[in-house]
Each structure stands twice: as C-alpha cells, then as structure tokens.
Amino acid sequence: MGSVGTIRPRTAAGAGLLATVLITGPWVAGSAGADLVADKYRQTVTDDGWTLEVTKTNESLDRWPALSSSPVSREGFVSVKAIAEVSGGGSQPVTSGTVTLGYQIGCAVDVSNGVTLGLGLSIGPNASVTISQFPGVTIGGQAAVTPNISTTLKPGAIATITFGSKPLTGARASITAEQVEIKVDACAGPVTIRSFATAAISTPAADNTISVYGDSIWL
C-alpha cells in the first residue's frame, strides 16, 4: 500500500466571483504575486522489492491578465518540479525508468461556437489551450520542456499536457519547469488546472508506475 503526504500553504479563493466578473464586466487583474501549491509525495514497494518514490514540489502559479484583453481568456505562469527516486535491494535489476511532469486543464463553459457578451464583444470560435516556454529548455538526457503545445479544450473534459519525461538512469531523476506560460482561450467559466508527476520503473519481473496530483487551482 502506498503512502501519501501533503503540505498545505495558502490557496486561491473567489472562483465563483471570478466567473461572474468575466461574463458581466471587464477583467480586472488581481495580485501579481504567485500562489504557492502544496507539495505531494507518494511511495510504493514493488513485487520484486524496490522502493519507488515520486514527489511534486516547488509549485506556484502567477496569474496575469491575458495580453489579448479578452474577458474569456486566462493566462498564467507556472513553476513546478517532479522527482523520482528508487531505493532498496530488489531481487531483479531495474532495466528502465522515467519521471514525467505535466498539467491537467479543464474549462467549465466553452464558448468556442461563438457567443456575444453584454459588452459588445463577440467571442469564438476555437477554444484552445496553449502552453509555451521561451526559450525551449532542455532538461538533460533525452528530456525537454516542449516550447509550444496547443490543444482543444471542451467543457466537462480534461486536457492533459505533458511538459517533459526524463529517463531514470540512476537512483534519482528530476524535471524542473520554471515560469511556463499557460493560456486558455474561449472559456467563459472558471478554468481549473492540476499538476501531476509520475515515476515508472521496469524490471524483468515487474512494471510499476506511481503518480501524485497537485491540488486543483483556478487559473
């Protein structure tokens, strides 16, 4: 049975009010200070005796008004780190492993088919998520944070975006992403994001994967 730990700093609030403001009036930017997000940790023991651990840490979200000034766009900059560690004395050698880092993103009210707000503004089409890092950062080995990722976002669904995946060539590997831009367009309701970190190893006898998820936060 795996174990999980959490440390909880301050969290964002006022999501319902934000949704109302976006539909009924111009978006007024809040504080530019970054919100910290709780660390997450989990471990498991594999069938052949290895202890596999994954940690999500150093996560923060810095919200900013979208450069487009659109009332149905969100923009922010996230920083987060994922760590995978293997320890113990397994009966079989570890032949491969990875640590993976990314985000899940959800939109409550999609307006990609077009909608006219009470501000003389017409919105849509093409609801989308764009994640970018400039310049593109090579993490090391064969892993990298992809410079630009775009995907369609629909209400009631979750878009999963992987920032990077690094081979585990020793007892420990990590991926750190700092100030990666997340931009969501054509979403009239709240936008929720949630980080994830996954560690995986393989031996001749077993394959194991373990994940942790960050607290859901409003973009």
Side-chain angles (χ1 to χ4, degrees):
M1 175 69 71
S3 61
V4 61
T6 180
I7 305 171
R8 295 186 179 276
R10 68 180 188 274
T11 56
L17 177 61
L18 175 61
T20 302
V21 170
L22 285 171
I23 292 178
T24 61
W27 182 18
V28 178
S31 171
D35 286 342
L36 304 181
V37 186
D39 290 349
K40 299 292 181 176
Y41 165 85
R42 187 181 294 274
Q43 73 171 33
T44 190
V45 178
T46 69
D47 286 348
D48 45 5
W50 293 104
T51 298
L52 177 62
E53 302 170 81
V54 63
T55 303
K56 188 277 301 179
T57 188
N58 295 347
E59 183 180 4
S60 65
L61 167 63
D62 197 359
R63 299 177 186 84
W64 285 90
L67 288 178
S68 64
S69 299
S70 168
V72 291
S73 294
R74 313 288 189 285
E75 186 174 7
F77 297 85
V78 295
S79 297
V80 64
K81 181 177 184 177
I83 305 168
E85 297 181 271
V86 180
S87 59
S91 61
Q92 299 287 327
V94 176
T95 56
S96 64
T98 57
V99 57
T100 303
L101 175 67
Y103 271 85
Q104 296 175 323
I105 304 170
C107 169
V109 183
D110 172 28
V111 293
S112 60
N113 290 329
V115 63
T116 299
L117 304 182
L119 308 171
L121 299 174
S122 295
I123 308 301
N126 300 323
S128 65
V129 177
T130 301
I131 299 195
S132 62
Q133 174 81 4
F134 183 81
V137 177
T138 299
I139 302 301
Q142 299 177 357
V145 174
T146 305
N148 292 284
I149 306 169
S150 296
T151 186
T152 300
L153 185 63
K154 295 296 182 183
I158 297 174
T160 299
I161 308 292
T162 299
F163 281 9
S165 184
K166 181 172 180 60
L168 185 65
T169 59
R172 185 181 189 276
S174 66
I175 295 178
T176 302
E178 296 187 11
Q179 291 293 285
V180 178
E181 179 193 25
I182 297 180
K183 183 168 69 72
V184 177
D185 295 312
C187 180
V191 174
T192 307
I193 65 174
R194 179 174 63 194
S195 63
F196 68 88
T198 299
I201 59 171
S202 180
T203 74
D207 293 327
N208 284 85
T209 301
I210 186 170
S211 298
V212 289
Y213 296 86
D215 294 333
S216 298
I217 53 178
W218 305 109
L219 180 61

